[in-house]
Amino acid sequence: MKNKDINKVPSLEVHNLAASYNRMPVLWDIDFQIPQGVLTGIVGPNGSGKTTLLRNIMGLMKADSGYVKIFGEDLNKVRERVSYVPQRESVDWTFPASVREVVEMGRYRNANLMRRLSKTDKEKVNIALEKVGMLEYANRQISQLSGGQQQRVFLARSLAQDADLYLMDEPFVGVDAATEEAILEVLSELRNEGKTVVIVHHDLQTAYQYFNWIILLNTRLVAAGPKEEVFLQENLREAYGGRLTILSKLSNLIAKSEFPVREKGFKETEGSGDGQS
């Protein structure tokens, strides 16, 4: 990341955000900025509010207080510059649509919902499918795909949108190692192109390896910033408390400190029910 990127208008600004479900606080006093052109991980233990934060950023739930700015504007003014990938479990994969039809949805905008896709649109769809290794499955029904393939289709639809800010909720849940590696490679390419990617994530090892910006939550904001400044022993102990597990590999990566790859008790369906992940 070049120094000049830090001086740009932040891709995302969250100020004094508080949110609750049924009057039960889930997030409070959340305040941070994310510069343009970084690959960001939102990490924290189960129930820390990661998915809730993403939903508030996207305006999918009403915050109790605070505000969100995207490229210095309200979401409704820059919505076409933002791509959102929800949890795979939240989608009805039995809907009768082909892989290509799902990815083509990324080319429609509010102003052109009734128009036919152009040649350029179709080329972008093909490029997106090829990037995630799903071009040969373009005519297959989405109900016939594996979980990893479905996640690749989600990513392809997001790429086809050609956004500037990508928000993704648990894109690696239920995927195999090859799919995870392929997705991380595509996301790294987006970052190199100056795009901003924000991911709700559980794997602290890959977060440290691949992300260069971290938002560490546990209902409130513990730390936010470059990974070297956030992945400190005192911050992770504050976030995870007694649930830390000794992991020698990550220990060697982060100045011989001991942090977990995944928080204890993590389940793949976490966050799909009450939305408080």
Side-chain angles (χ1 to χ4, degrees):
M1 181 177 58
K2 300 179 180 179
N3 289 335
K4 66 179 182 179
D5 291 333
I6 296 293
N7 298 323
K8 293 179 180 178
V9 174
S11 61
L12 178 62
E13 178 185 359
V14 177
H15 184 65
N16 289 340
L17 184 73
S20 61
Y21 287 99
N22 299 321
R23 299 185 179 181
M24 294 294 293
V26 180
L27 292 172
W28 69 80
D29 196 25
I30 306 298
D31 201 299
F32 63 84
Q33 293 183 355
I34 298 177
Q36 297 185 38
V38 295
L39 184 52
T40 301
I42 300 176
V43 299
N46 293 345
S48 59
K50 300 184 292 294
T51 290
T52 300
L53 175 58
L54 222 57
R55 289 177 176 173
N56 274 270
I57 291 170
M58 286 302 301
L60 299 176
M61 64 178 289
K62 184 176 176 58
D64 296 331
S65 64
Y67 64 82
V68 174
K69 294 290 185 181
I70 297 176
F71 301 112
E73 303 283 355
D74 293 334
L75 174 63
N76 57 6
K77 293 185 178 180
V78 293
R79 189 174 294 273
E80 292 185 1
R81 299 179 65 186
V82 182
S83 178
Y84 173 59
V85 178
Q87 292 184 1
R88 184 168 55 86
E89 290 82 2
S90 66
V91 175
D92 179 9
W93 290 100
T94 64
F95 186 79
S98 70
V99 168
R100 182 178 297 280
E101 288 170 338
V102 172
V103 179
E104 285 177 347
M105 294 176 187
R107 295 304 303 163
Y108 288 101
R109 301 291 189 269
N110 289 336
N112 63 9
L113 291 176
M114 302 305 294
R115 74 168 177 84
R116 292 187 177 183
L117 293 181
S118 67
K119 182 179 179 181
T120 298
D121 290 326
K122 293 178 180 179
E123 288 175 352
K124 287 185 177 292
V125 167
N126 285 336
I127 290 172
L129 285 167
E130 189 170 17
K131 277 189 174 183
V132 301
M134 290 297 292
L135 186 57
E136 63 181 294
Y137 299 91
N139 296 320
R140 184 169 296 188
Q141 292 292 302
I142 57 173
S143 60
Q144 300 173 348
L145 302 178
S146 68
Q149 289 171 333
Q150 289 173 346
Q151 201 64 275
R152 288 175 186 246
V153 172
F154 251 17
L155 179 57
R157 185 187 67 174
S158 188
L159 293 175
Q161 188 174 338
D162 197 19
D164 294 311
L165 173 64
Y166 295 82
L167 303 169
M168 303 184 181
D169 195 353
E170 298 283 13
F172 304 116
V173 169
V175 305
D176 56 27
T179 295
E180 180 172 315
E181 184 176 351
I183 292 175
L184 282 167
E185 183 176 345
V186 172
L187 299 183
S188 296
E189 290 178 4
L190 289 174
R191 177 191 61 195
N192 293 338
E193 293 170 3
K195 309 288 189 178
T196 304
V197 184
V198 181
I199 298 173
V200 170
H201 195 49
H202 280 91
D203 189 331
L204 295 185
Q205 181 178 325
T206 54
Y208 185 82
Q209 289 177 308
Y210 291 99
F211 301 165
N212 53 347
W213 205 266
I214 297 292
I215 307 298
L216 180 59
L217 292 180
N218 191 351
T219 306
R220 65 179 185 81
L221 182 70
V222 176
K227 64 180 180 182
E228 296 85 1
E229 298 177 10
V230 173
F231 274 124
L232 302 176
Q233 188 172 27
E234 56 267 30
N235 288 339
L236 292 187
R237 288 197 180 280
E238 181 178 349
Y240 291 89
R243 289 184 286 179
L244 284 177
T245 330
I246 294 175
L247 179 70
S248 59
K249 186 172 182 180
L250 191 56
S251 171
N252 293 331
L253 283 173
I254 312 176
K256 297 183 179 179
S257 297
E258 296 175 346
F259 306 127
V261 175
R262 293 180 185 268
E263 63 265 29
K264 185 177 180 181
F266 166 67
K267 296 180 181 180
E268 289 185 352
T269 56
E270 187 267 333
S272 60
D274 59 9
Q276 298 182 26
S277 67

